[in-house]
Amino acid sequence: MKKIYGYIDQNLNRFIDELFVLLRQPSISARWEGVVECSQLLTGMMEKIGIKPSILPMGGKRNPPLVYGEILNPEARRTLLIYGHFDVQPPEPLEAWDSPPFQPTIRDGRIFCRGSADNKGQFFAHFKAIESVLKINGQLPINVKFLLDPEEEVGSPSLNEFCRAHKALFAADMALNSDGPMDPSGRPRLSFGNRGVLYVEVKARGANQDLHSGNFGGPIPNPAWRVVEFLSSLRRPDGTVAIEGFYDNIVPPTAKEREMMAQMPFDEKKFMAKYGLQKFAPPDDLSYMEKLMFRPTLNIAGFTSGYGGPGSKTVLPCLATLKMDMRLVVNQDPEDIFQKFRKHGEKHGFEDLDVTMVHYYYPSRTSVDHPMAPKFVEAIRQGFQKEPVQVPAGGGSFPGAAIRNILNIPILSVPYGNADENNHAPNENMAIDCFQNGIRTTAALFFQLAG
Amino acid sequence: MKKIYGYIDQNLNRFIDELFVLLRQPSISARWEGVVECSQLLTGMMEKIGIKPSILPMGGKRNPPLVYGEILNPEARRTLLIYGHFDVQPPEPLEAWDSPPFQPTIRDGRIFCRGSADNKGQFFAHFKAIESVLKINGQLPINVKFLLDPEEEVGSPSLNEFCRAHKALFAADMALNSDGPMDPSGRPRLSFGNRGVLYVEVKARGANQDLHSGNFGGPIPNPAWRVVEFLSSLRRPDGTVAIEGFYDNIVPPTAKEREMMAQMPFDEKKFMAKYGLQKFAPPDDLSYMEKLMFRPTLNIAGFTSGYGGPGSKTVLPCLATLKMDMRLVVNQDPEDIFQKFRKHGEKHGFEDLDVTMVHYYYPSRTSVDHPMAPKFVEAIRQGFQKEPVQVPAGGGSFPGAAIRNILNIPILSVPYGNADENNHAPNENMAIDCFQNGIRTTAALFFQLAG
């Protein structure tokens, strides 16, 4: 590894220059800006390293270009599938950026650019790990496949179906995802899973226009009250979800998962002070981590009705819009939960509400006892020179279930982004040392998995 | 009256030109723009007619300039107090106006300008009635006093206190308010009262910033749920208000008020079609008019939390803002109701919510059996050549209670604005024939009241 790490150090500035080329190419899936161009740029970069690329149109109206790549070694015993995504979030608000969002700029040892950490910089570290191993060793000790998603930032709507249709192509022993931030303590993380998400929108309508609350208030129904009634029916006074069957089949943490959570660095007092919190949400007998990783949520992500500006306006609104996200845990099925959500409304007399499913991700977890897991731990130790924090499941959501549940490949996440990467926000950035340690970690992982 | 009406007809164009001068002067109380200038312009106009004006600073930080005026006849037996307001709503959104908001423009027999109907055009009609009677008769048959409010559009915050301190100055037998629109049927209206209003704002806070609903959802409390819980506690399933003592002392309609409501032109089927309604709010055994005039409301005027834009955003909001208005009926006291609202929150464990009173108006009703009422009816008949619709109480709110309850003067409202005046909205307008009939009605009223 010493020689490989030497190569990484010597070539780091060139690696960064090459990453800049990728970062300068906008690829905003939400408005379909530059995504196709970015897929073409990627295949060129992969070919140059020695990865055999192909663009796989995923079908449908947009026909998004999934970028597949492989670099095979006939003698290798194991295959690693690497998941990444090359689309990015819209850069707005532009005025909040200290340098233009698609003009990579180095300040204080960090690369500032939309997509620097989420996710171009992170999967590009894998590219450069392959290059480094090839230059020193002539070949990789394992087979590597890439699945680069063009639509992660809009919920990967085509991925599940595409994976179902291409199981053989993606076949591998293990999968790796590098996305999101490292632990706030500054240590790297190894994450075994993530919660799913189901996003729904509910609309209640009253009259066909906003009305004067005095000249019309009383006889005219107010849709905001209707949504309040609906929300009240969804939740018990103790904060649990009242939808029938919502908690069915939930898998509680194992002893080892509990141990893992207990060992995570978490200073409750500091955390509460940082976020200005007086208390946590119930139930009180569950730890912060258990509530975050092993319990589903029913979150009001948006409630909008009537006038919300400064001062007062006496309005009887004609519309109330509710946006909810539910973070789901293994084995909750978003399609099933959506049906239960709908049925709950019908059963309680809310047929008048418009209920729409916006998008979802399945939850997924890989066993914390998986025999390959210690190899990931060792690779992270070598790459970052720090002990990783092991996490049974992230609270957030990503399309890992497509790989874990549809392709049936155990997937582990090793984020290379600094904890303050500002993903989805202005001044998104990737620390150069995290990028460098990430390349080292990936290279080490190839040898660990081969062994 | 014939000669007087002749004078009005002959001078109508000049009256309109003079009104234009008043309309061109912005007087936006919400941002204190031109209110003082407008008060000075008014005193000049009043003096020219023969009304003795004075500007009465109301005190406090802004020291708003109430415009008082009187024209006394030593032989008159009766005094009429006329209430009006010379402040206007902000004109925004500017792009929705077909002509500039402070540039009066005549189209299709209407004067388009902010303030044309609400309320400059309406109280200016009283000025011109005085001029017309003086020109023909040499004197008024009654005494007339003016109370022109500089702050009606921001809730008349100084008026109650000022009236308490100047009872003798405003002393009168009867009061008249001309504001708001005529009946949608096209007939004029005589209104005996109005509901009060209490506007409150409630804020619930969670963390000190919006958070990612996945990375933080579960352990972190969501303030939107807190507001939903609070709202649920405020209302019973049948739609009635659950605040203890909310309905205390409410006065039900008398037989004559019921008769009045039954005689109001109201085509329920057409109304529901116009506003796209399937049904009215409960209780089903009360008529539309009774719910509007004799029952209080607890209205959600605004509920804002999290993301309300297009598409989805997974956010755990740090703030939920609730704006509520309560339309109150005789004898509900806004100060008392606010205390009951607060106490309800404390009693049900919502001490964590910030509850603020924003503003209020008292409800007021003048007896429909008042011996002067038939004189108003006759004056309207003469002025508009139509039978007025008699209304026990408007659903909306205006500072009539300051006159009815503090000055202890019975007040009746006779709106001169056309039903589609667009008050508070772009393209506010006053139909010229309404303005003309209004002047005629006021002139007729002077003689009716003198008799």
Side-chain angles (χ1 to χ4, degrees), chain A residues 195 199 213 217 219 222 225 232 281 298-299 307 309 311 313 323 327, chain B residues 195 199 213 217 219 222 225 232 281 299 301 309 311 313 323 327:
Chain A
R195 293 194 290 192
Y199 202 99
S213 71
N222 182 328
W225 273 118
S232 296
L298 179 61
N299 180 54
Y307 178 70
K313 188 175 166 185
K323 291 169 191 270
R327 299 289 165 169
Chain B
R195 292 195 291 192
Y199 202 97
S213 71
N222 182 329
W225 274 119
S232 296
N299 180 53
K313 188 175 169 186
K323 291 169 191 271
R327 297 289 165 169

PDB file of all heavy atoms in Angstrom, chain A residues 195 199 213 217 219 222 225 232 281 298-299 307 309 311 313 323 327, chain B residues 195 199 213 217 219 222 225 232 281 299 301 309 311 313 323 327:
ATOM      1  N   ARG A 195     -32.834   4.337   6.688  1.00  0.00           N
ATOM      2  CA  ARG A 195     -34.293   4.294   6.684  1.00  0.00           C
ATOM      3  C   ARG A 195     -34.808   4.564   5.272  1.00  0.00           C
ATOM      4  O   ARG A 195     -34.139   5.228   4.468  1.00  0.00           O
ATOM      5  CB  ARG A 195     -34.863   5.334   7.649  1.00  0.00           C
ATOM      6  CG  ARG A 195     -34.555   5.020   9.103  1.00  0.00           C
ATOM      7  CD  ARG A 195     -35.383   5.847  10.058  1.00  0.00           C
ATOM      8  NE  ARG A 195     -35.019   7.244  10.071  1.00  0.00           N
ATOM      9  CZ  ARG A 195     -35.439   8.117  10.982  1.00  0.00           C
ATOM     10  NH1 ARG A 195     -36.246   7.719  11.957  1.00  0.00           N
ATOM     11  NH2 ARG A 195     -35.077   9.376  10.933  1.00  0.00           N
ATOM     12  N   TYR A 199     -43.010   9.972   0.749  1.00  0.00           N
ATOM     13  CA  TYR A 199     -43.408  11.381   0.752  1.00  0.00           C
ATOM     14  C   TYR A 199     -44.803  11.498   0.163  1.00  0.00           C
ATOM     15  O   TYR A 199     -45.062  11.018  -0.937  1.00  0.00           O
ATOM     16  CB  TYR A 199     -42.411  12.199  -0.071  1.00  0.00           C
ATOM     17  CG  TYR A 199     -42.385  13.684   0.272  1.00  0.00           C
ATOM     18  CD1 TYR A 199     -41.407  14.185   1.122  1.00  0.00           C
ATOM     19  CD2 TYR A 199     -43.312  14.569  -0.236  1.00  0.00           C
ATOM     20  CE1 TYR A 199     -41.350  15.540   1.450  1.00  0.00           C
ATOM     21  CE2 TYR A 199     -43.276  15.926   0.086  1.00  0.00           C
ATOM     22  CZ  TYR A 199     -42.284  16.408   0.918  1.00  0.00           C
ATOM     23  OH  TYR A 199     -42.226  17.748   1.250  1.00  0.00           O
ATOM     24  N   SER A 213     -62.675  36.616   5.879  1.00  0.00           N
ATOM     25  CA  SER A 213     -63.086  35.770   7.005  1.00  0.00           C
ATOM     26  C   SER A 213     -64.261  36.359   7.772  1.00  0.00           C
ATOM     27  O   SER A 213     -64.924  35.641   8.514  1.00  0.00           O
ATOM     28  CB  SER A 213     -61.910  35.550   7.958  1.00  0.00           C
ATOM     29  OG  SER A 213     -61.609  36.747   8.652  1.00  0.00           O
ATOM     30  N   GLY A 217     -67.084  34.143   7.041  1.00  0.00           N
ATOM     31  CA  GLY A 217     -66.701  33.173   8.079  1.00  0.00           C
ATOM     32  C   GLY A 217     -67.866  32.703   8.920  1.00  0.00           C
ATOM     33  O   GLY A 217     -68.649  33.514   9.390  1.00  0.00           O
ATOM     34  N   PRO A 219     -70.483  30.154   7.997  1.00  0.00           N
ATOM     35  CA  PRO A 219     -71.113  29.134   7.146  1.00  0.00           C
ATOM     36  C   PRO A 219     -70.166  28.429   6.182  1.00  0.00           C
ATOM     37  O   PRO A 219     -70.463  27.330   5.718  1.00  0.00           O
ATOM     38  CB  PRO A 219     -72.177  29.931   6.379  1.00  0.00           C
ATOM     39  CG  PRO A 219     -71.801  31.364   6.511  1.00  0.00           C
ATOM     40  CD  PRO A 219     -71.042  31.495   7.781  1.00  0.00           C
ATOM     41  N   ASN A 222     -63.623  25.763   6.352  1.00  0.00           N
ATOM     42  CA  ASN A 222     -62.216  26.151   6.230  1.00  0.00           C
ATOM     43  C   ASN A 222     -61.361  24.889   6.064  1.00  0.00           C
ATOM     44  O   ASN A 222     -61.301  24.053   6.969  1.00  0.00           O
ATOM     45  CB  ASN A 222     -61.804  26.927   7.486  1.00  0.00           C
ATOM     46  CG  ASN A 222     -60.372  27.408   7.427  1.00  0.00           C
ATOM     47  OD1 ASN A 222     -59.516  26.770   6.834  1.00  0.00           O
ATOM     48  ND2 ASN A 222     -60.104  28.541   8.054  1.00  0.00           N
ATOM     49  N   TRP A 225     -58.860  23.669   8.838  1.00  0.00           N
ATOM     50  CA  TRP A 225     -59.425  22.870   9.938  1.00  0.00           C
ATOM     51  C   TRP A 225     -59.547  21.409   9.531  1.00  0.00           C
ATOM     52  O   TRP A 225     -59.343  20.504  10.328  1.00  0.00           O
ATOM     53  CB  TRP A 225     -60.805  23.414  10.346  1.00  0.00           C
ATOM     54  CG  TRP A 225     -60.748  24.514  11.357  1.00  0.00           C
ATOM     55  CD1 TRP A 225     -61.184  25.791  11.196  1.00  0.00           C
ATOM     56  CD2 TRP A 225     -60.243  24.441  12.702  1.00  0.00           C
ATOM     57  NE1 TRP A 225     -60.975  26.511  12.356  1.00  0.00           N
ATOM     58  CE2 TRP A 225     -60.406  25.710  13.296  1.00  0.00           C
ATOM     59  CE3 TRP A 225     -59.669  23.423  13.461  1.00  0.00           C
ATOM     60  CZ2 TRP A 225     -60.012  25.993  14.606  1.00  0.00           C
ATOM     61  CZ3 TRP A 225     -59.277  23.701  14.765  1.00  0.00           C
ATOM     62  CH2 TRP A 225     -59.442  24.972  15.328  1.00  0.00           C
ATOM     63  N   SER A 232     -54.926  15.048  13.314  1.00  0.00           N
ATOM     64  CA  SER A 232     -55.230  14.571  14.661  1.00  0.00           C
ATOM     65  C   SER A 232     -55.574  13.095  14.660  1.00  0.00           C
ATOM     66  O   SER A 232     -55.238  12.371  15.583  1.00  0.00           O
ATOM     67  CB  SER A 232     -56.415  15.342  15.241  1.00  0.00           C
ATOM     68  OG  SER A 232     -56.071  16.674  15.381  1.00  0.00           O
ATOM     69  N   ALA A 281     -38.327  14.281  21.555  1.00  0.00           N
ATOM     70  CA  ALA A 281     -39.700  13.818  21.354  1.00  0.00           C
ATOM     71  C   ALA A 281     -39.875  12.453  22.037  1.00  0.00           C
ATOM     72  O   ALA A 281     -38.908  11.708  22.190  1.00  0.00           O
ATOM     73  CB  ALA A 281     -39.989  13.720  19.854  1.00  0.00           C
ATOM     74  N   LEU A 298     -43.571  10.079  11.304  1.00  0.00           N
ATOM     75  CA  LEU A 298     -44.663  10.662  10.514  1.00  0.00           C
ATOM     76  C   LEU A 298     -44.466  12.157  10.666  1.00  0.00           C
ATOM     77  O   LEU A 298     -44.908  12.765  11.639  1.00  0.00           O
ATOM     78  CB  LEU A 298     -46.018  10.209  11.073  1.00  0.00           C
ATOM     79  CG  LEU A 298     -47.250  10.750  10.354  1.00  0.00           C
ATOM     80  CD1 LEU A 298     -47.286  10.315   8.903  1.00  0.00           C
ATOM     81  CD2 LEU A 298     -48.529  10.286  11.055  1.00  0.00           C
ATOM     82  N   ASN A 299     -43.742  12.735   9.729  1.00  0.00           N
ATOM     83  CA  ASN A 299     -43.266  14.110   9.861  1.00  0.00           C
ATOM     84  C   ASN A 299     -44.105  15.077   9.033  1.00  0.00           C
ATOM     85  O   ASN A 299     -44.389  14.816   7.861  1.00  0.00           O
ATOM     86  CB  ASN A 299     -41.804  14.176   9.376  1.00  0.00           C
ATOM     87  CG  ASN A 299     -41.223  15.578   9.470  1.00  0.00           C
ATOM     88  OD1 ASN A 299     -41.246  16.196  10.535  1.00  0.00           O
ATOM     89  ND2 ASN A 299     -40.704  16.075   8.352  1.00  0.00           N
ATOM     90  N   TYR A 307     -52.723  33.014   5.078  1.00  0.00           N
ATOM     91  CA  TYR A 307     -51.695  34.056   5.045  1.00  0.00           C
ATOM     92  C   TYR A 307     -50.597  33.748   6.054  1.00  0.00           C
ATOM     93  O   TYR A 307     -50.865  33.473   7.220  1.00  0.00           O
ATOM     94  CB  TYR A 307     -52.329  35.402   5.372  1.00  0.00           C
ATOM     95  CG  TYR A 307     -51.342  36.541   5.417  1.00  0.00           C
ATOM     96  CD1 TYR A 307     -50.749  36.992   4.239  1.00  0.00           C
ATOM     97  CD2 TYR A 307     -50.975  37.144   6.618  1.00  0.00           C
ATOM     98  CE1 TYR A 307     -49.839  38.035   4.270  1.00  0.00           C
ATOM     99  CE2 TYR A 307     -50.069  38.183   6.651  1.00  0.00           C
ATOM    100  CZ  TYR A 307     -49.501  38.623   5.476  1.00  0.00           C
ATOM    101  OH  TYR A 307     -48.591  39.652   5.505  1.00  0.00           O
ATOM    102  N   GLY A 309     -47.524  35.780   6.017  1.00  0.00           N
ATOM    103  CA  GLY A 309     -46.576  36.888   6.019  1.00  0.00           C
ATOM    104  C   GLY A 309     -46.609  37.678   7.320  1.00  0.00           C
ATOM    105  O   GLY A 309     -47.274  37.295   8.272  1.00  0.00           O
ATOM    106  N   GLY A 311     -47.455  40.538  10.061  1.00  0.00           N
ATOM    107  CA  GLY A 311     -48.698  41.208  10.417  1.00  0.00           C
ATOM    108  C   GLY A 311     -49.892  40.291  10.267  1.00  0.00           C
ATOM    109  O   GLY A 311     -49.760  39.068  10.332  1.00  0.00           O
ATOM    110  N   LYS A 313     -53.705  39.204   8.322  1.00  0.00           N
ATOM    111  CA  LYS A 313     -54.623  39.278   7.194  1.00  0.00           C
ATOM    112  C   LYS A 313     -55.767  38.350   7.541  1.00  0.00           C
ATOM    113  O   LYS A 313     -55.533  37.186   7.871  1.00  0.00           O
ATOM    114  CB  LYS A 313     -53.910  38.846   5.911  1.00  0.00           C
ATOM    115  CG  LYS A 313     -54.723  39.082   4.655  1.00  0.00           C
ATOM    116  CD  LYS A 313     -53.919  38.762   3.406  1.00  0.00           C
ATOM    117  CE  LYS A 313     -54.821  38.660   2.199  1.00  0.00           C
ATOM    118  NZ  LYS A 313     -54.117  38.251   0.991  1.00  0.00           N
ATOM    119  N   LYS A 323     -47.668  18.573   3.418  1.00  0.00           N
ATOM    120  CA  LYS A 323     -46.622  17.692   2.897  1.00  0.00           C
ATOM    121  C   LYS A 323     -46.087  16.878   4.074  1.00  0.00           C
ATOM    122  O   LYS A 323     -45.762  17.452   5.109  1.00  0.00           O
ATOM    123  CB  LYS A 323     -45.497  18.507   2.262  1.00  0.00           C
ATOM    124  CG  LYS A 323     -45.935  19.203   0.959  1.00  0.00           C
ATOM    125  CD  LYS A 323     -44.915  20.209   0.480  1.00  0.00           C
ATOM    126  CE  LYS A 323     -45.457  21.069  -0.641  1.00  0.00           C
ATOM    127  NZ  LYS A 323     -45.219  20.537  -1.987  1.00  0.00           N
ATOM    128  N   ARG A 327     -40.298   8.431   7.512  1.00  0.00           N
ATOM    129  CA  ARG A 327     -39.062   7.636   7.434  1.00  0.00           C
ATOM    130  C   ARG A 327     -39.424   6.232   7.890  1.00  0.00           C
ATOM    131  O   ARG A 327     -39.990   6.053   8.969  1.00  0.00           O
ATOM    132  CB  ARG A 327     -37.982   8.249   8.324  1.00  0.00           C
ATOM    133  CG  ARG A 327     -37.596   9.661   7.932  1.00  0.00           C
ATOM    134  CD  ARG A 327     -36.819   9.721   6.626  1.00  0.00           C
ATOM    135  NE  ARG A 327     -36.785  11.093   6.119  1.00  0.00           N
ATOM    136  CZ  ARG A 327     -36.007  11.493   5.116  1.00  0.00           C
ATOM    137  NH1 ARG A 327     -35.212  10.634   4.478  1.00  0.00           N
ATOM    138  NH2 ARG A 327     -36.028  12.742   4.712  1.00  0.00           N
TER     139      ARG A 327
ATOM    140  N   ARG B 195     -70.038  42.091  13.444  1.00  0.00           N
ATOM    141  CA  ARG B 195     -69.303  41.252  14.396  1.00  0.00           C
ATOM    142  C   ARG B 195     -67.996  41.948  14.762  1.00  0.00           C
ATOM    143  O   ARG B 195     -67.451  42.747  14.000  1.00  0.00           O
ATOM    144  CB  ARG B 195     -69.001  39.893  13.766  1.00  0.00           C
ATOM    145  CG  ARG B 195     -70.263  39.069  13.543  1.00  0.00           C
ATOM    146  CD  ARG B 195     -69.956  37.613  13.267  1.00  0.00           C
ATOM    147  NE  ARG B 195     -69.317  37.410  11.978  1.00  0.00           N
ATOM    148  CZ  ARG B 195     -69.151  36.216  11.408  1.00  0.00           C
ATOM    149  NH1 ARG B 195     -69.554  35.114  12.032  1.00  0.00           N
ATOM    150  NH2 ARG B 195     -68.581  36.099  10.230  1.00  0.00           N
ATOM    151  N   TYR B 199     -57.760  39.043  16.634  1.00  0.00           N
ATOM    152  CA  TYR B 199     -56.741  38.396  15.808  1.00  0.00           C
ATOM    153  C   TYR B 199     -55.576  37.993  16.701  1.00  0.00           C
ATOM    154  O   TYR B 199     -55.037  38.828  17.431  1.00  0.00           O
ATOM    155  CB  TYR B 199     -56.255  39.361  14.723  1.00  0.00           C
ATOM    156  CG  TYR B 199     -55.626  38.684  13.518  1.00  0.00           C
ATOM    157  CD1 TYR B 199     -56.377  38.442  12.382  1.00  0.00           C
ATOM    158  CD2 TYR B 199     -54.294  38.282  13.514  1.00  0.00           C
ATOM    159  CE1 TYR B 199     -55.824  37.836  11.264  1.00  0.00           C
ATOM    160  CE2 TYR B 199     -53.731  37.663  12.408  1.00  0.00           C
ATOM    161  CZ  TYR B 199     -54.504  37.439  11.284  1.00  0.00           C
ATOM    162  OH  TYR B 199     -53.949  36.832  10.167  1.00  0.00           O
ATOM    163  N   SER B 213     -35.166  15.969   7.692  1.00  0.00           N
ATOM    164  CA  SER B 213     -36.151  15.116   8.371  1.00  0.00           C
ATOM    165  C   SER B 213     -35.677  13.677   8.510  1.00  0.00           C
ATOM    166  O   SER B 213     -36.187  12.931   9.338  1.00  0.00           O
ATOM    167  CB  SER B 213     -37.482  15.146   7.624  1.00  0.00           C
ATOM    168  OG  SER B 213     -37.375  14.453   6.389  1.00  0.00           O
ATOM    169  N   GLY B 217     -35.034  13.220  12.103  1.00  0.00           N
ATOM    170  CA  GLY B 217     -36.442  12.926  12.398  1.00  0.00           C
ATOM    171  C   GLY B 217     -36.627  11.742  13.325  1.00  0.00           C
ATOM    172  O   GLY B 217     -36.062  10.687  13.097  1.00  0.00           O
ATOM    173  N   PRO B 219     -36.195  11.671  17.075  1.00  0.00           N
ATOM    174  CA  PRO B 219     -35.917  12.244  18.398  1.00  0.00           C
ATOM    175  C   PRO B 219     -36.232  13.733  18.524  1.00  0.00           C
ATOM    176  O   PRO B 219     -36.431  14.215  19.630  1.00  0.00           O
ATOM    177  CB  PRO B 219     -34.418  11.993  18.593  1.00  0.00           C
ATOM    178  CG  PRO B 219     -33.862  11.674  17.253  1.00  0.00           C
ATOM    179  CD  PRO B 219     -34.984  11.147  16.430  1.00  0.00           C
ATOM    180  N   ASN B 222     -41.306  18.193  16.447  1.00  0.00           N
ATOM    181  CA  ASN B 222     -41.732  18.996  15.300  1.00  0.00           C
ATOM    182  C   ASN B 222     -42.809  19.990  15.761  1.00  0.00           C
ATOM    183  O   ASN B 222     -43.886  19.583  16.191  1.00  0.00           O
ATOM    184  CB  ASN B 222     -42.281  18.059  14.214  1.00  0.00           C
ATOM    185  CG  ASN B 222     -42.700  18.802  12.966  1.00  0.00           C
ATOM    186  OD1 ASN B 222     -43.135  19.941  13.021  1.00  0.00           O
ATOM    187  ND2 ASN B 222     -42.564  18.147  11.828  1.00  0.00           N
ATOM    188  N   TRP B 225     -46.551  19.693  14.602  1.00  0.00           N
ATOM    189  CA  TRP B 225     -47.411  18.763  15.338  1.00  0.00           C
ATOM    190  C   TRP B 225     -47.950  19.415  16.607  1.00  0.00           C
ATOM    191  O   TRP B 225     -49.088  19.194  17.024  1.00  0.00           O
ATOM    192  CB  TRP B 225     -46.642  17.488  15.715  1.00  0.00           C
ATOM    193  CG  TRP B 225     -46.647  16.443  14.651  1.00  0.00           C
ATOM    194  CD1 TRP B 225     -45.571  15.916  13.993  1.00  0.00           C
ATOM    195  CD2 TRP B 225     -47.800  15.743  14.132  1.00  0.00           C
ATOM    196  NE1 TRP B 225     -45.976  14.955  13.087  1.00  0.00           N
ATOM    197  CE2 TRP B 225     -47.334  14.828  13.157  1.00  0.00           C
ATOM    198  CE3 TRP B 225     -49.173  15.815  14.391  1.00  0.00           C
ATOM    199  CZ2 TRP B 225     -48.181  13.986  12.440  1.00  0.00           C
ATOM    200  CZ3 TRP B 225     -50.024  14.976  13.675  1.00  0.00           C
ATOM    201  CH2 TRP B 225     -49.530  14.080  12.708  1.00  0.00           C
ATOM    202  N   SER B 232     -56.417  21.090  17.813  1.00  0.00           N
ATOM    203  CA  SER B 232     -57.376  20.027  18.103  1.00  0.00           C
ATOM    204  C   SER B 232     -58.050  20.255  19.438  1.00  0.00           C
ATOM    205  O   SER B 232     -59.231  19.958  19.605  1.00  0.00           O
ATOM    206  CB  SER B 232     -56.671  18.679  18.146  1.00  0.00           C
ATOM    207  OG  SER B 232     -56.154  18.391  16.899  1.00  0.00           O
ATOM    208  N   ALA B 281     -70.642  24.762   6.482  1.00  0.00           N
ATOM    209  CA  ALA B 281     -70.079  24.256   7.726  1.00  0.00           C
ATOM    210  C   ALA B 281     -71.197  24.027   8.740  1.00  0.00           C
ATOM    211  O   ALA B 281     -72.226  24.694   8.679  1.00  0.00           O
ATOM    212  CB  ALA B 281     -69.056  25.258   8.264  1.00  0.00           C
ATOM    213  N   ASN B 299     -61.359  31.015  13.300  1.00  0.00           N
ATOM    214  CA  ASN B 299     -60.889  30.792  11.936  1.00  0.00           C
ATOM    215  C   ASN B 299     -59.371  30.652  11.873  1.00  0.00           C
ATOM    216  O   ASN B 299     -58.641  31.447  12.475  1.00  0.00           O
ATOM    217  CB  ASN B 299     -61.312  31.989  11.062  1.00  0.00           C
ATOM    218  CG  ASN B 299     -60.861  31.857   9.618  1.00  0.00           C
ATOM    219  OD1 ASN B 299     -61.134  30.845   8.964  1.00  0.00           O
ATOM    220  ND2 ASN B 299     -60.147  32.859   9.121  1.00  0.00           N
ATOM    221  N   ALA B 301     -56.634  31.620   9.900  1.00  0.00           N
ATOM    222  CA  ALA B 301     -56.348  32.561   8.810  1.00  0.00           C
ATOM    223  C   ALA B 301     -55.005  32.248   8.171  1.00  0.00           C
ATOM    224  O   ALA B 301     -54.722  32.670   7.051  1.00  0.00           O
ATOM    225  CB  ALA B 301     -56.367  33.996   9.334  1.00  0.00           C
ATOM    226  N   GLY B 309     -43.624  24.974  -1.150  1.00  0.00           N
ATOM    227  CA  GLY B 309     -43.482  25.184  -2.582  1.00  0.00           C
ATOM    228  C   GLY B 309     -43.823  23.961  -3.412  1.00  0.00           C
ATOM    229  O   GLY B 309     -44.307  22.956  -2.896  1.00  0.00           O
ATOM    230  N   GLY B 311     -43.419  20.541  -5.587  1.00  0.00           N
ATOM    231  CA  GLY B 311     -42.612  19.346  -5.384  1.00  0.00           C
ATOM    232  C   GLY B 311     -42.430  19.048  -3.913  1.00  0.00           C
ATOM    233  O   GLY B 311     -43.257  19.424  -3.081  1.00  0.00           O
ATOM    234  N   LYS B 313     -39.865  18.609  -0.336  1.00  0.00           N
ATOM    235  CA  LYS B 313     -38.642  18.914   0.400  1.00  0.00           C
ATOM    236  C   LYS B 313     -38.807  18.248   1.754  1.00  0.00           C
ATOM    237  O   LYS B 313     -39.814  18.461   2.428  1.00  0.00           O
ATOM    238  CB  LYS B 313     -38.474  20.431   0.529  1.00  0.00           C
ATOM    239  CG  LYS B 313     -37.142  20.845   1.111  1.00  0.00           C
ATOM    240  CD  LYS B 313     -36.979  22.356   1.092  1.00  0.00           C
ATOM    241  CE  LYS B 313     -35.773  22.756   1.902  1.00  0.00           C
ATOM    242  NZ  LYS B 313     -35.663  24.223   2.017  1.00  0.00           N
ATOM    243  N   LYS B 323     -51.982  31.810  12.496  1.00  0.00           N
ATOM    244  CA  LYS B 323     -52.718  33.071  12.622  1.00  0.00           C
ATOM    245  C   LYS B 323     -54.197  32.721  12.694  1.00  0.00           C
ATOM    246  O   LYS B 323     -54.688  31.957  11.867  1.00  0.00           O
ATOM    247  CB  LYS B 323     -52.428  33.980  11.427  1.00  0.00           C
ATOM    248  CG  LYS B 323     -50.990  34.515  11.425  1.00  0.00           C
ATOM    249  CD  LYS B 323     -50.632  35.188  10.104  1.00  0.00           C
ATOM    250  CE  LYS B 323     -49.149  35.462  10.000  1.00  0.00           C
ATOM    251  NZ  LYS B 323     -48.756  36.775  10.544  1.00  0.00           N
ATOM    252  N   ARG B 327     -64.291  35.942  14.843  1.00  0.00           N
ATOM    253  CA  ARG B 327     -65.334  36.962  14.687  1.00  0.00           C
ATOM    254  C   ARG B 327     -66.254  36.822  15.886  1.00  0.00           C
ATOM    255  O   ARG B 327     -66.716  35.726  16.186  1.00  0.00           O
ATOM    256  CB  ARG B 327     -66.099  36.743  13.381  1.00  0.00           C
ATOM    257  CG  ARG B 327     -65.236  36.876  12.151  1.00  0.00           C
ATOM    258  CD  ARG B 327     -64.799  38.306  11.873  1.00  0.00           C
ATOM    259  NE  ARG B 327     -63.692  38.312  10.911  1.00  0.00           N
ATOM    260  CZ  ARG B 327     -63.239  39.406  10.313  1.00  0.00           C
ATOM    261  NH1 ARG B 327     -63.766  40.586  10.592  1.00  0.00           N
ATOM    262  NH2 ARG B 327     -62.228  39.326   9.476  1.00  0.00           N
TER     263      ARG B 327
END
